[in-house]
Amino acid sequence: MSASSRARGSGALGLACVLLLAAGPENQTAAAEASPAGPVPAVVEAVVDGDTLRVRARIWLDQEVTTSVRLAGIDAPEIAGACPRERALARRAREFVARRLETGRNDAPTVRLREVRYGKYARRVVARVETADGLDLGAALLAAGLAQAYDGRRRPAWCD
């Protein structure tokens, strides 16, 4: 794919701008408040931590943006956490996600982004992330005890 066929913009901002422009001027306010219908296909370039991925998302025919995606509805422990327990859990969460994304081939893992919305921090989007075989990564992390439910307000504590 040539550089001219890729969407310009910086990650999450580029994705949000393209979605708003596609909505047309009469629907841009509604589009900014609503989630894209999705699913948005994406290739995972990196697992940053348990609840953040770096992806290359296909937002339109031959147009892609690279952005960070935070998994919606969960909080995973931080790699640079406040205590040894949090840091250890963070490594386990990142490894858990990486294992779930392995395809068994040389191809980069693909995912589907659902309910995509612009994130309030770190120039990223927030979305439900589904693996190629339909596994919801956030739900899987919760079930494994490697994430806590998160509503966007105060982060849950990982240290005693």
Side-chain angles (χ1 to χ4, degrees), residues 106-128:
N106 292 330
D107 300 337
T110 58
V111 294
R112 290 179 294 276
L113 309 178
R114 297 187 180 276
E115 301 169 22
V116 181
R117 63 187 188 278
Y118 190 70
K120 61 183 178 179
Y121 299 114
R123 299 176 59 96
R124 62 185 174 190
V125 297
V126 177
R128 280 190 29 239

Side-chain angles (χ1 to χ4, degrees), residues 1-8 56 58 61-65:
M1 179 180 315
S2 71
S4 62
S5 65
R6 290 180 187 243
R8 301 291 179 208
R56 190 174 67 247
R58 184 175 212 155
L61 301 174
D62 291 330
Q63 294 181 358
E64 295 179 337
V65 294

Side-chain angles (χ1 to χ4, degrees), residues 15-83:
L15 179 57
C17 288
V18 170
L19 293 171
L20 287 173
L21 290 173
E26 65 282 354
N27 294 322
Q28 286 180 357
T29 301
E33 295 170 358
S35 298
V40 176
V43 174
V44 177
E45 294 187 338
V47 177
V48 177
D49 60 24
D51 59 16
T52 306
L53 305 172
R54 185 91 178 139
V55 303
R56 190 174 67 247
R58 184 175 212 155
I59 57 172
W60 194 248
L61 301 174
D62 291 330
Q63 294 181 358
E64 295 179 337
V65 294
T66 300
T67 190
S68 292
V69 178
R70 179 177 168 85
L71 277 62
I74 67 161
D75 179 65
E78 299 297 324
I79 297 292
C83 65

Side-chain angles (χ1 to χ4, degrees), residues 138-160:
L141 281 161
L142 284 170
L146 296 171
Q148 298 177 29
Y150 178 63
D151 63 5
R153 295 184 186 139
R154 186 173 175 162
R155 275 186 70 232
W158 288 98
C159 300
D160 294 331

